[in-house]
């Protein structure tokens, strides 16, 4: 277990990739705070950027493993690569994390709580990850109670560019990816694909049968300038996932179960800029479809399955009446659909949600930025929900010091399953609501070679939906409270060395008043986590690095009767260029073969080694 530590010790000895990638201008621009590109020091919200260089250096396959080294993030995975994985931000439920891929909401309308399963999401096609921590429903609508995880694929290169990679390692694991992109006149675009397969491990900790996994992902982008002021933007993303998993009806145990997923993500938008860019408009249609089929035995017809889709229309306008003032406003309409078959029954449900919002960003003087906004969502089932948010960023010394403060409200609409399921649905459910408060400071020293950040937060959530054993229905029976501290440190004492660190303390507890649960820690959310990472580029071309992650004790259940012991994971990596276009790389994960669990009864990988080659042109 992790013992309590002083903040000064953490700042001097712990690290994370959260600030390892702040060297390029692109990392000073964020999108999740306001829905438009803006400088990081214009917002008072806590945001981490994981850039393409960091993703490449870490050699990480699972997006979840990258997120796990970010402050405020906790995760759980139910076994082998590809198995169900959830991400919690600042102690919120995993279903209260909003996920975007290339700007499209991908939370699954067919899931019990509209959550996103990170299991099939691998890093092959991903080039940038932005994590916003704290409630922000003014900009993002439903589900942004804990925060937002936004993932983007590669931006088309100027001219022509291509890169590819392939690797092999533990448990007969093979992966490969390739991307091609370019720009010719008014047209830019790119396509990419990745493939992954492994024999895996037993998802049941007590099992002996390996659970294999296959994954294919593809992405495409096309942007066409139709004139000086008008452009067309098309994006697409696809995942096919094929997983052997162990039965979860009762304690996890070896079984022949199979899960298949097809996930389709699409975006089509028009962008218009008028009055020398003082007024810009974006109108887009986005589409998500998740088809999930489950088989008790491979090779047979599916025994049950779910299909969820979400068709959205978005309009966003940005008015810049003065250089230091912006007004962002918009309208959204979405129609989530849910279909189920299996066990002798079928079900099909849908809803309509209409939303309007407005957000103002003002800089009264160069060192102060103020943001405030309001949103109203009208749901065809439960009616309306109005949310507010405000934040500020003040720098007295030209950006070397930034003092941040934010207030954010969040709401989450009941899922279609929770509303309409024939056995446990409750059509009278109200939306979950949250209020989130942040106070933080960022300090840059020695011309940016040292960057420190400290954030304190608290979030109260009411009307949280949970299954009520007394009525066998879902109900608004929970209240939760999360508070804590996040600290990060990034050091670059010499150009060749990058050291990054994070520590987060999260006290997330049940406040429902129910005797069996009130005051108990929320499940699978460790109070403390530390991550330390260092990378060194040697003069002869070799790059070496290591990451150490320590996670404290937690519980697997709401009654705090099933403990999960804390753990420490270490990994090392290296890469070496050959010529100007080829790079060899390799890594060892879980170097000391730690035995641990993120979900009780489910297996985890022991020590595992991988090696590969990258090509770029």
């Amino acid at each position: 277990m992790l013992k309590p530590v002083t903040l000064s010790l953490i700042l001097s000895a712990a690290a994370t990739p959260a600030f390892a990638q702040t060297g390029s201008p692109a990392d000073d621009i964020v999108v999740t705070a306001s829905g438009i590109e803006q400088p990081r020091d214009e917002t008072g919200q806590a945001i981490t950027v994981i850039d393409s260089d960091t993703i490449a250096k870490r050699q990480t396959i699972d997006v979840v493993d990258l997120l796990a080294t970010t402050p405020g993030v906790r995760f759980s995975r139910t076994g082998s690569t590809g198995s169900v994985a959830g991400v919690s931000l600042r102690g919120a439920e995993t279903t209260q994390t909003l996920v975007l891929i290339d700007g499209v909401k991908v939370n699954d309308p067919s899931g019990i709580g509209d959550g996103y399963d990170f299991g099939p999401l691998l890093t092959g096609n991903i080039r940038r990850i932005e994590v916003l921590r704290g409630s922000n429903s003014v900009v993002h609508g439903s589900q942004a109670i804990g925060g937002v995880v936004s993932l983007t694929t590669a931006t088309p290169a100027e001219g022509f560019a291509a890169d590819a990679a392939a690797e092999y390692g533990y448990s007969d694991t093979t992966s490969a990816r390739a991307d091609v992109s370019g720009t010719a006149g008014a047209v830019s675009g790119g396509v990419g694909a990745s493939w992954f397969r492994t024999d895996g491990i037993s998802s049941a900790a007590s099992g002996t049968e390996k659970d294999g996994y296959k994954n294919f992902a593809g992405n495409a982008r096309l942007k066409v300038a139709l004139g000086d002021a008008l452009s067309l933007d098309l994006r697409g993303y696809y995942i096919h996932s094929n997983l052997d998993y162990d039965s979860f009806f009762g304690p996890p145990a070896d079984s022949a179960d199979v899960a298949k997923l097809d996930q389709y993500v699409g975006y089509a938008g028009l962008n218009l800029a008028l009055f020398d860019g003082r007024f810009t408009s974006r109108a887009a249609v986005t589409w998500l479809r998740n088809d999930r089929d489950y088989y008790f035995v491979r090779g047979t017809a599916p025994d049950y399955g779910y299909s969820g889709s979400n068709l959205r229309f978005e309009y966003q306008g940005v008015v810049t009446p003065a250089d230091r003032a912006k007004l962002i406003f918009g309208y959204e309409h979405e129609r989530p659909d849910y279909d189920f078959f299996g066990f002798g029954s079928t079900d099909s449900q849908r809803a309509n949600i209409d939303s309007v919002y407005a957000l103002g960003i003002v800089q009264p003087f160069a060192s102060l930025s103020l943001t405030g906004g309001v949103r109203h969502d009208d749901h065809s089932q439960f009616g309306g929900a109005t949310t507010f948010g405000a934040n500020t960023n003040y720098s007295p010394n030209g950006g070397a010091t930034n003092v941040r403060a934010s207030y954010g409200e969040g709401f989450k609409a009941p899922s279609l399953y929770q509303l309409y399921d024939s056995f446990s649905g409750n059509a009278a459910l109200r939306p979950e609501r949250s209020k989130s408060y942040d106070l933080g400071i960022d300090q840059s020293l020695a011309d940016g070679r040292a960057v420190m950040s400290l954030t304190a937060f608290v979030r109260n959530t009411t009307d949280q939906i949970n299954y009520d054993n007394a009525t066998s229905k879902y109900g608004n029976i929970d209240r939760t409270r999360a508070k804590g501290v996040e600290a990060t440190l990034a050091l670059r004492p010499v150009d060749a060395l990058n050291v990054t660190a994070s520590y987060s303390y999260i006290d997330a507890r049940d406040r429902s008043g129910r005797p069996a649960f009130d005051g108990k820690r929320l499940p699978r959310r460790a109070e403390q986590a530390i991550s330390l990472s260092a990378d060194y580029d040697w003069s002869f071309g070799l790059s070496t690095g290591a990451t150490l992650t320590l996670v404290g004790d937690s519980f697997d259940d709401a009654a705090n009767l099933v403990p999960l012991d804390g753990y420490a994971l270490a990994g090392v990596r290296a890469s070496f260029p050959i010529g100007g276009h080829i790079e060899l790389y390799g890594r060892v994960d879980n170097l000391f073969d730690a035995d641990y669990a993120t979900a009780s009864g489910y297996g985890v990988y022991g020590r595992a080694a991988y090696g590969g080659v990258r090509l770029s042109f």
Side-chain angles (χ1 to χ4, degrees), residues 337-423:
D337 293 356
Y338 158 81
D339 293 285
F340 165 79
F341 73 89
F343 310 112
S345 67
T346 60
D347 191 18
S348 181
Q349 302 292 344
R350 54 193 40 83
N352 288 279
I353 306 173
D354 291 279
S355 310
V356 292
Y357 64 91
L359 191 73
I361 303 173
V362 180
Q363 291 179 289
F365 42 93
S367 59
L368 177 65
S369 180
L370 304 170
T371 302
V374 60
R375 181 187 185 100
H376 182 78
D377 295 84
D378 186 71
H379 192 285
S380 58
Q381 174 58 42
F382 60 75
T386 301
T387 49
F388 298 90
N391 64 80
T392 183
N393 190 312
Y394 173 65
S395 177
N397 50 15
T401 304
N402 284 283
V403 180
R404 299 176 282 105
S406 71
Y407 167 74
E409 294 183 356
F411 90 98
K412 180 180 177 298
S415 71
L416 294 173
Y417 181 93
Q418 291 166 336
L419 286 167
Y420 300 119
D421 178 66
S422 58
F423 297 102

Side-chain angles (χ1 to χ4, degrees), residues 93-98 106-117 142-145 292 306 338 411-419 429 432 464-466 474:
E93 299 299 311
T94 58
T95 56
Q96 295 170 343
T97 300
L98 178 68
V106 292
N107 289 59
D108 186 1
S110 68
I112 289 178
D114 284 352
Y116 183 75
D117 178 11
S142 181
Q143 291 146 345
I145 284 180
R292 298 181 288 131
Y306 302 84
Y338 158 81
F411 90 98
K412 180 180 177 298
S415 71
L416 294 173
Y417 181 93
Q418 291 166 336
L419 286 167
L429 288 172
E432 302 174 338
Q464 191 160 299
I465 298 170
N466 204 344
Y474 285 97

Side-chain angles (χ1 to χ4, degrees), residues 458-473:
V458 61
R459 183 189 63 253
N460 293 298
T461 306
T462 58
D463 286 334
Q464 191 160 299
I465 298 170
N466 204 344
Y467 184 78
D468 189 346
N469 290 313
T471 63
S472 300
K473 300 282 185 182

Side-chain angles (χ1 to χ4, degrees), residues 511-560:
R511 290 289 183 250
S512 65
R514 295 174 294 162
F517 307 107
D518 189 62
K520 300 294 178 67
R521 289 165 53 185
L522 300 181
R524 298 181 182 176
R525 272 152 278 195
E527 282 188 332
Q528 300 190 70
I530 302 171
S531 182
L532 169 66
S533 185
D535 289 277
Y536 189 82
D537 298 324
W538 300 84
S539 59
F540 55 91
L542 177 68
S543 293
T544 55
T547 296
L548 175 66
T549 302
L550 297 91
V551 179
D553 298 343
S554 61
F555 294 95
D556 193 66
D557 63 323
N560 291 184

Side-chain angles (χ1 to χ4, degrees), residues 78-84 119-120 122 170-174 195-204 208-215 240-246 254-261 298 605:
T78 57
S80 185
T81 298
S83 297
V84 173
L122 307 184
Y170 175 79
S171 197
D172 200 21
T173 298
T174 306
W195 179 78
F196 175 90
R197 73 150 312 277
T198 183
D199 288 346
I201 60 172
S202 173
S203 289
T208 57
E209 170 206 34
K210 289 186 175 182
D211 292 305
Y213 182 57
K214 295 179 182 178
N215 180 294
H240 174 74
S241 171
N242 189 322
L243 172 71
D244 295 325
Y245 71 98
D246 287 333
D254 278 343
S255 69
D257 290 82
V258 174
K260 295 183 180 181
L261 164 74
R298 183 179 291 278
Y605 282 79

Side-chain angles (χ1 to χ4, degrees), residues 119-315:
L121 186 62
L122 307 184
T123 59
N125 299 25
I126 304 301
R127 294 295 176 270
R128 189 177 192 272
I129 304 173
E130 195 171 310
V131 183
L132 179 146
R133 301 182 297 280
S135 301
N136 192 351
S137 283
V138 169
V139 174
H140 298 285
S142 181
Q143 291 146 345
I145 284 180
V148 180
V149 177
S150 177
L151 308 107
T152 56
T153 55
T155 301
E158 297 291 336
F160 172 81
D163 65 87
E167 72 173 52
Y168 179 81
Y170 175 79
S171 197
D172 200 21
T173 298
T174 306
S175 65
R177 64 165 183 83
D179 290 279
V180 177
S181 69
T183 301
V187 179
S188 63
V191 294
S194 65
W195 179 78
F196 175 90
R197 73 150 312 277
T198 183
D199 288 346
I201 60 172
S202 173
S203 289
S206 62
T208 57
E209 170 206 34
K210 289 186 175 182
D211 292 305
Y213 182 57
K214 295 179 182 178
N215 180 294
F216 171 81
N219 66 289
R221 280 185 177 227
L222 178 65
K223 190 167 186 177
V224 182
L226 303 175
D228 293 338
L230 183 65
S231 64
L232 172 68
D233 191 0
L234 303 175
R235 311 167 197 166
Y237 199 91
Y238 171 72
I239 298 176
H240 174 74
S241 171
N242 189 322
L243 172 71
D244 295 325
Y245 71 98
D246 287 333
S247 175
F248 53 82
F249 293 105
D254 278 343
S255 69
D257 290 82
V258 174
K260 295 183 180 181
L261 164 74
D262 286 289
Q263 182 176 104
Y264 308 86
V265 179
Y267 177 100
L270 282 172
N271 305 292
L272 178 65
L274 300 173
F275 309 113
D276 295 325
R278 295 281 184 179
F279 175 53
T280 62
S281 290
R282 179 180 63 87
V285 176
T286 74
W287 181 64
L288 164 73
R289 184 177 177 90
N290 268 7
D291 292 325
R292 298 181 288 131
D293 292 326
Y294 297 87
Y295 308 76
F296 295 141
V297 178
R298 183 179 291 278
T300 62
D303 293 281
Y304 64 101
Y306 302 84
S307 180
S309 64
N310 195 0
L311 181 65
R312 291 172 52 89
F313 170 78
E314 304 173 347
Y315 170 78

